Amino acid sequence: MTRLPPAVAAELAALGLGGAAERFVPPAAVAEAARRGLDLRARHGQGGTKVGLARAASLAAGDPQTAQDLRVMVAWFARFAHLRGRGRWDDAANPSAGFIAWLLWGGDAGREWAQTARHPET
């Protein structure tokens, strides 16, 4: 593995392009939501994309996420927040594809974690 000189790594981090060394372990509630999303996806055959499925597998396994991963999660939740609570959102018998996708990204716990893990001062 090639390592960047510390000055270059610090400069990239200051630009928001670093963070490879900084890792954030998903809380248990985030991993559980992702596992539930994977289960619902398998049972109902809907919800999520390949990217969402990969994110869910990573979160469910408890894999550490980078600061960039958390930025992607924040952006995903912001983009799809309008789906939350619509239609048959969390209908136990037939949950919406949006609900399943939401869980794949860690659910409400994932949304909160992604927003706060990057900004411990808030």
Side-chain angles (χ1 to χ4, degrees):
M1 172 192 279
T2 304
R3 296 196 184 265
L4 294 173
V8 173
E11 222 174 299
L12 288 172
L15 293 170
L17 301 173
E22 192 173 19
R23 302 277 182 177
F24 302 88
V25 177
V30 175
E32 178 54 35
R35 281 191 290 275
R36 184 171 173 219
L38 288 168
D39 180 53
L40 289 173
R41 174 76 159 51
R43 278 195 277 149
H44 297 282
Q46 65 176 4
T49 63
K50 287 181 184 180
V51 172
L53 292 171
R55 177 71 61 205
S58 180
L59 292 172
D63 294 340
Q65 306 294 302
T66 66
Q68 177 60 30
D69 293 332
L70 295 179
R71 284 190 288 274
V72 169
M73 288 177 68
V74 168
W76 188 92
F77 282 114
R79 181 175 178 200
F80 293 102
H82 72 279
L83 295 176
R84 196 178 186 301
R86 294 177 79 186
R88 61 183 200 284
W89 179 253
D90 60 352
D91 180 325
N94 189 20
S96 70
F99 177 69
I100 295 170
W102 191 267
L103 289 176
L104 293 174
W105 285 81
D108 291 341
R111 181 184 193 186
E112 183 172 335
W113 173 63
Q115 291 172 339
T116 59
R118 299 179 309 119
H119 308 288
E121 67 281 357
T122 59

